[in-house]
């Protein structure tokens, strides 16, 4: 069973529907025993880092995610679930889960290298360029587009944790990973 972490942060129904569509047994839950017994975890999210961390801590889900990671359980982070696995976020100056060392940074609204003002949030379909091979990314071609909606992006401290990049005015990490954890800044359920 796949546990979809419910911490009051967004796109749970679309993730649930996508997994059920492909025949993957799953359940949206914040029940710590169910999460502990799950074979895999999906950690989605839409919202702000500060309130997300408050909810994770309030429900004890921060510990559950850290324990699952330490135990080697496969975890997929999505969007906000990608950002809060890093050490800290500029958004709300939030301390995060620190599963992958790094910082979540804001897109600059300054001019890009082409002299255009960058619109924030980055919203819409964009390509993903694989930079490090990973089984989750097998078959992902550079011309495939994925849906993004975010004003902040992950910046892992170790470049080896960047599995794919996307360009939006500047290149940024759009897929990061370490050990049993892979996380996408885009929404694969779309």
């Amino acid at each position: 069973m796949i546990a979809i972490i419910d911490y009051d942060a967004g796109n749970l129904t679309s993730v649930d529907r996508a997994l059920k569509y492909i025949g993957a047994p799953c359940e949206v839950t914040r029940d710590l025993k169910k999460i502990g017994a799950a074979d895999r975890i999906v950690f989605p999210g839409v919202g702000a880092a500060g309130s997300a961390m408050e909810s994770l801590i309030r429900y004890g889900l921060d510990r559950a995610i850290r324990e699952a990671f330490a135990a080697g359980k496969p975890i997929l982070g999505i969007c906000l679930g990608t950002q809060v696995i890093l050490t800290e976020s500029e958004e709300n100056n939030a301390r995060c889960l620190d599963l992958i060392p790094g910082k979540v940074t804001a897109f600059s609204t300054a001019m890009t290298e082409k002299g255009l003002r960058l619109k924030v949030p980055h919203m819409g379909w964009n390509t993903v360029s694989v930079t490090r091979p990973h089984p989750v990314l097998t078959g992902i071609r550079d011309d495939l587009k994925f849906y993004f909606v975010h004003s902040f992006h992950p910046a892992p401290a170790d470049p080896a944790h960047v599995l794919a990049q996307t360009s939006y005015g500047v290149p940024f990490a759009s897929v990061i990973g370490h050990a049993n954890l892979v996380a996408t800044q885009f929404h694969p359920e779309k």
Side-chain angles (χ1 to χ4, degrees), residues 103-170:
K103 186 173 187 175
V104 178
T105 61
F107 278 113
S108 170
T109 56
M111 302 300 253
T112 68
E113 63 272 2
K114 293 182 180 179
L116 302 172
R117 185 160 303 280
L118 191 63
K119 291 182 183 178
V120 178
H122 171 214
M123 185 165 46
W125 298 90
N126 203 339
T127 56
V128 170
S129 179
V130 175
T131 57
R132 294 180 60 84
H134 190 281
V136 170
L137 301 174
T138 301
I140 301 297
R141 301 181 321 266
D142 285 349
D143 63 336
L144 293 177
K145 293 191 175 185
F146 297 88
Y147 187 75
F148 289 84
V149 58
H150 60 119
S151 299
F152 295 80
H153 59 87
D158 184 346
H161 293 146
V162 178
L163 303 179
Q165 288 187 331
T166 294
S167 182
Y168 185 65
V170 294

Side-chain angles (χ1 to χ4, degrees), residues 7-184:
Y7 61 109
D8 303 327
N11 59 331
L12 300 172
T13 302
S14 58
V15 172
D16 183 59
R17 283 184 186 152
L19 288 171
K20 287 179 177 165
Y21 178 79
I22 63 170
C26 60
E27 182 178 351
V28 174
T29 186
R30 68 173 58 126
D31 182 301
L32 300 176
K33 288 181 183 176
K34 289 181 180 181
I35 293 167
D39 299 313
R40 293 172 171 77
I41 292 174
V42 176
F43 181 32
V46 174
S51 59
M53 285 307 301
E54 287 173 11
S55 290
L56 288 168
I57 292 166
R58 178 173 56 252
Y59 298 128
L61 296 167
D62 59 326
R63 288 188 318 275
I65 293 167
R66 285 184 179 109
E67 288 169 4
F69 178 68
K73 190 174 293 195
I75 301 170
L76 173 64
I78 299 173
C79 197
L80 184 60
T82 297
Q83 295 177 8
V84 299
I85 63 173
L86 294 174
T87 308
E88 61 185 325
S89 177
E90 288 180 357
E91 186 177 30
N92 312 122
N93 293 314
R95 297 293 306 161
C96 298
L97 294 173
D98 198 26
L99 301 180
I100 294 178
K103 186 173 187 175
V104 178
T105 61
F107 278 113
S108 170
T109 56
M111 302 300 253
T112 68
E113 63 272 2
K114 293 182 180 179
L116 302 172
R117 185 160 303 280
L118 191 63
K119 291 182 183 178
V120 178
H122 171 214
M123 185 165 46
W125 298 90
N126 203 339
T127 56
V128 170
S129 179
V130 175
T131 57
R132 294 180 60 84
H134 190 281
V136 170
L137 301 174
T138 301
I140 301 297
R141 301 181 321 266
D142 285 349
D143 63 336
L144 293 177
K145 293 191 175 185
F146 297 88
Y147 187 75
F148 289 84
V149 58
H150 60 119
S151 299
F152 295 80
H153 59 87
D158 184 346
H161 293 146
V162 178
L163 303 179
Q165 288 187 331
T166 294
S167 182
Y168 185 65
V170 294
F172 67 92
S174 53
V175 182
I176 60 176
H178 175 61
N180 51 304
L181 172 61
V182 173
T184 65

